[in-house]
């Protein structure tokens, strides 16, 4: 059985599959074609409509037979929501997806990061690649329940009016966290770093976005942000794809990720926050939505962010207005040094707790680690093995290291030094490298961009 992490995928065996999410949840599925949209309301399987061609819901289990799906179907997206409507998922036990084949043999398990205020969570998707089917773990949350989720996939949802109010289209928000992956390489025996620039590229503000945002930040005690032309360009490119596809997502239908668009503009960053929203008609409505929604408000008022970019576009088929807002901390040489130093300090804190000698920073290991993080961004991979086959000890030797033993931890998607070290310590393989008594030196690399947003490397030596 494979344990998946957000963004991870694996080939599926032939035949029907059972996907079970035990607990106080409602399980649902959305069947879509190449457009990312349903062909009709019948493609939405949930408690009030428990069956579609090739998909059947029984209690907490979805049975999916890829061969039995309707013509043109290439994807089945699995979602969960609280059985008690309106309950934030953060108040419930964390949902866990178990995938079995038709004989009951375990195929995969996915335990996503614990949700917060979201009321629906995209857990995973089954998708076709050529003649085969694969499973991808997602872990993306929505703040406005199944109605917003369904609309983003093209399902018509009719809100029942009450005696005191008429149905009003509301904004919908996709989760603002990038998928993350953690991979550890055991210690074993046997690049050049890049320093990003951060020249300010101010952008005009014809919509008055900053006059709406900065007072809200000042009220929270956060510094003012400036519009950056590169972030605006990335937001425009992404929101145009959202509007054309009629769906909120961190990736366009062609597979281009939002963070890849930022990288393409030349904006290097330590961390990025994003708002992907549909519904508001004006910048004022967009900011008002962000301020009344807890997770979105935290991003808008985050004191770390100094640069922002905003764009919106109207969907040609539905008339819905889509928004992309980006918030960033530029990656200056000083910020890179602080970020890597924080990883070293947090790593050594864990070693001190285990009564181990702290690791000393090694320039050669640092150069190799930084080069690997930058390479993973540039060539769109997250692995200890580079596309041409080089391994951690090969990269250390190429940087001039003569350490007799090398170990490596990498991670993709975490947004801070604290988050990545916590993730490593919660994973047995990574923890073993961090707490290996024989290691004496460390090098840390970091790069922002690519498909997952951030790429971290720890290289250990003895």
């Amino acid at each position: 059985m494979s344990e998946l992490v957000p963004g991870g995928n694996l080939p599926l065996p032939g035949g029907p599959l059972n996907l079970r999410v035990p607990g106080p949840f409602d399980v649902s599925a959305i069947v879509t074609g190449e457009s990312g949209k349903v062909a009709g309301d019948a493609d939405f399987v949930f408690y009030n409509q428990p069956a579609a061609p090739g998909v059947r819901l029984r209690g907490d289990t979805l049975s999916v037979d890829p061969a039995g799906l309707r013509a043109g179907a290439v994807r089945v997206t699995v979602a969960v929501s609280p059985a008690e409507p309106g309950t934030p998922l953060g108040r419930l036990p964390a949902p866990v997806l178990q995938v079995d084949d038709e004989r009951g043999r375990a195929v995969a398990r996915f335990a996503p990061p614990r949700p917060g205020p979201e009321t629906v969570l995209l857990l995973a998707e089954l998708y076709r690649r050529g003649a085969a089917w694969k499973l991808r773990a997602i872990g993306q949350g929505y703040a406005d329940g199944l109605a917003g989720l369904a609309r983003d996939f093209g399902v018509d949802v009719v809100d029942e009016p009450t005696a005191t109010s008429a149905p009003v289209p509301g904004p919908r928000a996709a989760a603002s966290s990038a998928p993350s992956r953690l991979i550890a390489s055991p210690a074993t025996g046997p690049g050049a770093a890049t320093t990003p620039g951060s020249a300010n590229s101010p952008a005009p503000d014809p919509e008055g976005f900053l006059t709406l945002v900065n007072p809200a930040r000042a009220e929270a005690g956060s510094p003012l942000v400036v519009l950056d032309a590169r972030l605006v360009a990335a937001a425009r490119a992404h929101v145009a794809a959202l509007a054309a596809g009629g769906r909120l997502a961190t990736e366009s239908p062609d597979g281009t990720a939002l963070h890849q668009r930022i990288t393409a503009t030349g904006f290097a960053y330590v961390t990025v926050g994003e708002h992907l929203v549909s519904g508001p008609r004006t910048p004022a409505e967009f900011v008002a939505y962000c301020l009344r929604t807890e997770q979105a408000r935290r991003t808008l008022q985050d004191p770390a962010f100094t640069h922002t970019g905003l764009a919106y576009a109207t969907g040609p088929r539905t008339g819905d207005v889509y928004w992309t807002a980006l918030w960033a901390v530029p990656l200056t040489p000083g910020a890179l040094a602080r970020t890597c130093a924080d990883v070293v300090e947090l790593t050594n804190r864990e070693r001190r707790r285990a009564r181990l000698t702290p690791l000393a920073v090694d320039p050669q290991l640092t150069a190799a680690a930084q080069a690997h993080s930058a390479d993973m961004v540039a060539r769109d991979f997250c692995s200890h093995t580079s596309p041409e086959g080089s391994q951690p000890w090969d990269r250390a030797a190429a940087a001039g290291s003569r350490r007799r033993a090398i170990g490596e931890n990498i991670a993709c998607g975490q947004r801070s030094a604290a988050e990545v070290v916590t993730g490593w310590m919660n994973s047995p393989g990574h923890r073993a490298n961090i707490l290996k008594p024989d290691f004496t030196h460390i090098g840390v690399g970091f790069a922002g961009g690519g498909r997952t947003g951030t790429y971290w490397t720890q290289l250990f030596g003895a």
Side-chain angles (χ1 to χ4, degrees):
M1 180 183 70
S2 296
E3 288 277 351
L4 294 177
V5 295
N9 63 78
L10 80 161
L12 291 171
L17 299 162
N18 291 317
L19 298 90
R20 180 171 179 259
V21 186
F25 307 107
D26 286 328
V27 186
S28 55
I30 305 101
V31 181
T32 53
E34 294 286 358
S35 68
K37 295 291 189 177
V38 298
D41 291 354
D43 279 348
F44 188 34
V45 177
F46 65 118
Y47 53 86
N48 274 345
Q49 185 170 280
V55 184
R56 179 171 294 276
L57 175 64
R58 297 182 181 89
D60 60 7
T61 302
L62 278 167
S63 297
V64 180
D65 180 6
L69 296 173
R70 62 149 173 94
V74 298
R75 194 177 306 268
V76 179
T77 304
V78 180
V80 294
S81 57
E84 184 66 33
T87 303
L89 285 166
R91 297 182 186 175
L92 303 176
V96 177
L97 174 67
Q98 175 71 45
V99 182
D100 300 329
D101 66 14
E102 59 183 327
R103 296 184 181 180
R105 294 174 298 193
V107 174
R109 180 180 180 273
F110 174 47
R114 188 176 185 85
E118 297 91 342
T119 55
V120 66
L121 187 70
L122 296 184
L123 270 180
E125 60 184 10
L126 285 70
Y127 63 101
R128 193 177 70 200
R129 278 292 180 268
W133 284 78
K134 301 182 74 173
L135 175 72
R136 177 186 289 119
I138 301 177
Q140 173 180 303
Y142 278 67
D144 59 344
L146 288 176
L149 171 67
R151 289 191 182 99
D152 285 340
F153 281 86
V155 179
D156 293 328
V157 178
V158 179
D159 298 323
E160 294 295 331
T162 67
T164 58
S165 65
V168 178
R172 304 186 287 278
S176 63
S177 61
S180 63
R181 290 183 285 173
L182 297 171
I183 308 172
S185 174
T188 183
T194 58
T195 303
S198 61
N200 186 29
S201 301
D205 187 18
E207 303 286 349
F209 180 55
L210 295 182
T211 64
L212 300 167
V213 167
N214 278 329
R217 289 179 59 85
E219 185 177 341
S222 299
L224 306 185
V225 292
V226 297
L227 276 174
D228 187 281
R230 297 161 296 181
L231 293 178
V232 171
R236 283 176 179 162
H238 193 70
V239 83
L242 297 185
R247 176 185 176 187
L248 294 174
T250 56
E251 284 192 8
S252 304
D254 66 358
T256 303
L258 174 57
H259 295 91
Q260 290 174 305
R261 297 190 189 281
I262 299 171
T263 304
T265 69
F267 188 97
Y269 59 83
V270 175
T271 189
V272 166
E274 65 270 358
H275 290 125
L276 306 179
V277 177
S278 67
R281 312 298 297 185
T282 66
E285 288 183 12
F286 169 78
V287 173
Y289 161 74
C290 291
L291 291 176
R292 68 173 180 266
T293 306
E294 182 181 358
Q295 185 175 350
R297 182 175 65 252
R298 286 201 303 267
T299 299
L300 188 149
Q301 295 180 333
D302 191 324
F305 293 134
T306 57
H307 292 61
T308 188
L310 175 77
Y312 61 94
T314 302
R317 288 175 291 180
T318 65
D320 290 340
V321 181
Y322 292 84
W323 299 78
T324 295
L326 298 172
W327 312 83
V329 179
L331 184 61
T332 63
L336 175 62
R338 286 191 299 272
T339 299
C340 294
D342 287 346
V343 173
V344 173
E345 171 55 32
L346 292 168
T347 299
N348 280 333
R349 184 180 301 175
E350 298 295 342
R351 289 181 64 90
R352 285 191 290 269
R353 287 174 179 168
R355 300 188 176 182
L356 296 172
T357 303
L359 303 171
V361 174
D362 180 283
Q364 287 78 30
L365 295 180
T366 298
Q370 182 61 35
H372 189 54
S373 288
D375 190 33
M376 288 191 288
V377 172
R379 295 199 281 177
D380 192 22
F381 72 100
C382 186
S383 173
H384 296 292
T385 304
S386 71
E388 68 274 3
S390 70
Q391 300 292 334
W393 45 92
D394 299 322
R395 295 188 289 270
S401 175
R402 295 297 178 261
R403 301 287 168 190
R404 61 180 175 80
I406 295 292
E408 182 179 79
N409 287 344
I410 63 173
C412 305
Q414 292 72 21
R415 299 201 175 196
S416 68
E419 183 180 342
V420 74
V421 173
T422 297
W424 279 326
M425 288 299 294
N426 288 336
S427 169
H430 303 89
R431 182 184 180 94
N433 274 346
I434 288 174
L435 300 183
K436 186 175 178 63
D438 291 348
F439 285 143
T440 57
H441 290 75
I442 188 174
V444 174
F446 168 83
R451 192 173 301 276
T452 66
T454 56
Y455 294 74
W456 307 78
T457 303
Q458 280 183 317
L459 203 54
F460 304 92

